[in-house]
Amino acid sequence: MSYIVGLRNFLLKVVYRISRPVIFLMDPEAAHYRFKRVGVLLGSNALTKALTSFFFDYNHKSLNITVDGVKYRNPVGLSAGFDKDGELTSIYPSIGFGLAELGSFTGEVCPGNPGKRLFRMPKSKSILVWYGLNNQGAEKISARLKDVDFGRLRVGINAAKSNLTPEFDLQESIEDYTKTMDCFKDIGDYYTINISCPNTQDGEPFVNPEYLNALLTAVNEHRVEGRPIYVKLAADMELDEVNAIVDACVEHGMDGVVLTNLAKPKYNEEYVKEELPFHKGAMSGLPLNRISTSLVRHVYRRTGGKLTIIGVGGIFTARDAYEKITSGASLLHMISTLIFDGPQSISEINRGLVQLLKEDGFNSIEEAVGSRNPLPKLKAVQTVDDDKVKDIA
Ligand SMILES: Cc1cc2nc3c(=O)[nH]c(=O)nc-3n(C[C@H](O)[C@H](O)[C@H](O)COP(=O)(O)O)c2cc1C
């Protein structure tokens, strides 16, 4: 069966590769909206959903995973930013996603940044994003989604702060996040608090420990029973800043972190320099692959595996996905692979994960999490030392 799915995916990949030059002739934002419209259409009735499943879905029991009490049919998820208004939830399970993070949603309606704001960098396998959190606002979107049955799809609600003014006001900003949390209190399976949008007018103020402390205190007051809360970090912070945020997450009882958001070109060396099309924005895709995996490794070790990690950045193949899992990630997010490789890459990654688990002798994703990033066994070292001390005495 796996071979048949592999052949199907290979043929779909060839079709996508042939169509890609034509798709890439379209303006990237226009192409994004056109594909979304196709997705809405495919998700609108049982027949097109069944057909989409036939061409794109893949299931295997070893992919089932429970994370912070939420059961996922597979760990492969859509990352925030693709579905900024939460319009495509009916089609994601048929494409093969186990989860989809919707948003970022903001407390207020947000038009985003003016002008051209999406650019392809094909040689770098990256998208330069200068959107600036455009979305219809938490009230409107939550009203539309409140009675939607997401079925086997698990849904993350990504909350960010409205990008409307360059002035930063701590209290207003916090209320913006908690307004979104309240609007979505009966919708979705987990929250992500996005403190790392690189394209906002007032920067990333919650890197400041005092502000972060105030935000996480408020977020906890708006917690919904049984709904994990994750915090999404930037890709290009100093290690001290990463450590301070991760420690604050542990201290405030956050359930985990999403690693990472987009990479700012001035802090990143992993793209083709002459391809950079614009002086603003931040990059997705391949330039993020190594840095996000390194951060997954670091945070997994620093927290002793106690914080859930959602790994995101430059996942194009099952090996990329498996590397993030074996480094410590329990769930995965992705966007760029859809754009550069096509939607069949979701089931191809899931299919490849099943093979890689088998090769390593694991029966489930849970068993593989962090398996190539072993945590230091401090207790054991202590025991050996104690015995040695006894022997010497
Ligand atoms: C077009 C686009 C829009 C994005 N918008 C958001 C967003 O609104 N909120 C967010 O947390 N991340 C956003 N991101 C970042 C992604 O969620 C993800 O962290 C990043 O793209 C790395 O994943 P990838 O390499 O698989 O694309 C966006 C990414 C892209 C490509």
Side-chain angles (χ1 to χ4, degrees), residues 104-110 133 135 137-139 160-163 176 180:
S104 296
F105 303 139
T106 55
E108 305 305 318
V109 179
C110 209
L133 296 174
N135 76 108
E139 275 167 323
K161 182 176 66 67
S162 302
N163 172 32
D176 203 299
T180 300

Side-chain angles (χ1 to χ4, degrees), residues 79-81 84 104 158 194 232 260 284-285 288 312 314 334-336:
S79 202
K84 286 173 176 289
S104 296
N158 180 306
N194 177 10
K232 187 162 179 179
T260 66
S284 74
L288 262 176
V312 48
M334 55 201 75
I335 293 183
S336 297

Side-chain angles (χ1 to χ4, degrees), residues 32 78-82 84 101 103-105 118 125 127 129 131 133-134 158 160 192 194 196-198 232 258-262 283-286 288-289 312-316 333-337 339:
H32 186 181
L78 178 76
S79 202
F82 186 86
K84 286 173 176 289
E101 190 165 297
S104 296
F105 303 139
L118 216 51
K125 267 196 137 179
I127 302 290
V129 184
Y131 263 152
L133 296 174
N134 48 310
N158 180 306
T192 291
N194 177 10
S196 51
C197 178
K232 187 162 179 179
V258 183
L259 303 170
T260 66
N261 215 316
L262 302 160
M283 301 176 299
S284 74
L286 203 53
L288 262 176
N289 178 304
V312 48
I315 301 174
F316 292 96
H333 285 161
M334 55 201 75
I335 293 183
S336 297
T337 188
I339 297 163

Side-chain angles (χ1 to χ4, degrees), residues 63-348:
L63 295 169
N64 301 166
I65 181 165
T66 302
V67 181
D68 299 317
V70 179
K71 288 185 177 156
Y72 298 82
R73 76 177 173 118
N74 69 58
V76 175
L78 178 76
S79 202
F82 186 86
D83 194 0
K84 286 173 176 289
D85 294 317
E87 295 167 308
L88 292 158
T89 50
S90 342
I91 199 63
Y92 295 136
S94 308
I95 307 174
F97 280 123
L99 63 146
E101 190 165 297
L102 311 179
S104 296
F105 303 139
T106 55
E108 305 305 318
V109 179
C110 209
N113 292 325
K116 186 167 159 81
R117 46 198 190 172
L118 216 51
F119 306 83
R120 296 186 193 96
M121 299 168 61
K123 287 188 204 143
S124 309
K125 267 196 137 179
S126 174
I127 302 290
L128 185 78
V129 184
W130 174 239
Y131 263 152
L133 296 174
N134 48 310
N135 76 108
Q136 296 165 349
E139 275 167 323
K140 185 171 176 186
I141 301 167
S142 59
R144 179 160 35 77
L145 290 177
K146 78 177 181 342
D147 295 322
V148 175
D149 176 3
F150 297 124
R152 46 193 190 142
L153 182 76
R154 295 294 155 263
V155 167
I157 302 298
N158 180 306
K161 182 176 66 67
S162 302
N163 172 32
L164 296 172
T165 149
E167 275 86 46
F168 173 69
D169 180 289
L170 179 63
Q171 205 44 44
E172 265 179 29
S173 303
I174 290 175
E175 281 164 16
D176 203 299
Y177 280 103
T178 55
K179 180 177 172 184
T180 300
M181 290 181 76
D182 291 345
C183 285
F184 284 89
K185 68 181 178 2
D186 300 319
I187 305 167
D189 300 285
Y190 71 82
Y191 289 115
T192 291
I193 304 297
N194 177 10
I195 57 166
S196 51
C197 178
N199 297 325
T200 51
Q201 299 177 57
D202 61 359
E204 293 162 38
F206 290 101
V207 173
N208 175 319
E210 199 187 312
Y211 298 163
L212 183 65
N213 191 36
L215 174 65
L216 297 186
T217 304
V219 159
N220 263 331
E221 284 160 10
H222 292 256
R223 233 181 214 282
V224 176
E225 173 96 31
R227 184 97 60 91
I229 306 179
Y230 306 126
V231 175
K232 187 162 179 179
L233 273 64
D236 27 36
M237 288 184 288
E238 298 288 335
L239 207 52
D240 286 352
E241 292 171 326
V242 173
N243 290 343
I245 294 175
V246 167
D247 293 353
C249 287
V250 173
E251 209 174 289
H252 284 271
M254 295 293 112
D255 299 273
V257 285
V258 183
L259 303 170
T260 66
N261 215 316
L262 302 160
K264 296 175 203 93
K266 76 169 164 180
Y267 301 117
N268 190 291
E269 294 294 320
E270 308 211 22
Y271 65 99
V272 179
K273 300 287 177 312
E274 51 285 6
E275 208 184 15
L276 193 66
F278 190 49
H279 62 289
K280 291 178 181 169
M283 301 176 299
S284 74
L286 203 53
L288 262 176
N289 178 304
R290 277 206 280 194
I291 181 64
S292 68
T293 305
S294 303
L295 275 177
V296 170
R297 296 186 76 77
H298 173 73
V299 172
Y300 184 73
R301 291 173 79 84
R302 183 166 182 90
T303 60
K306 288 196 183 73
L307 277 187
T308 292
I309 297 174
I310 302 183
V312 48
I315 301 174
F316 292 96
T317 65
R319 283 208 179 273
D320 297 334
Y322 196 58
E323 197 185 8
K324 290 225 180 350
I325 290 170
T326 54
S327 295
S330 302
L331 297 169
L332 306 166
H333 285 161
M334 55 201 75
I335 293 183
S336 297
T337 188
L338 292 173
I339 297 163
F340 289 100
D341 303 330
Q344 80 293 335
S345 61
I346 304 313
S347 69
E348 194 53 16

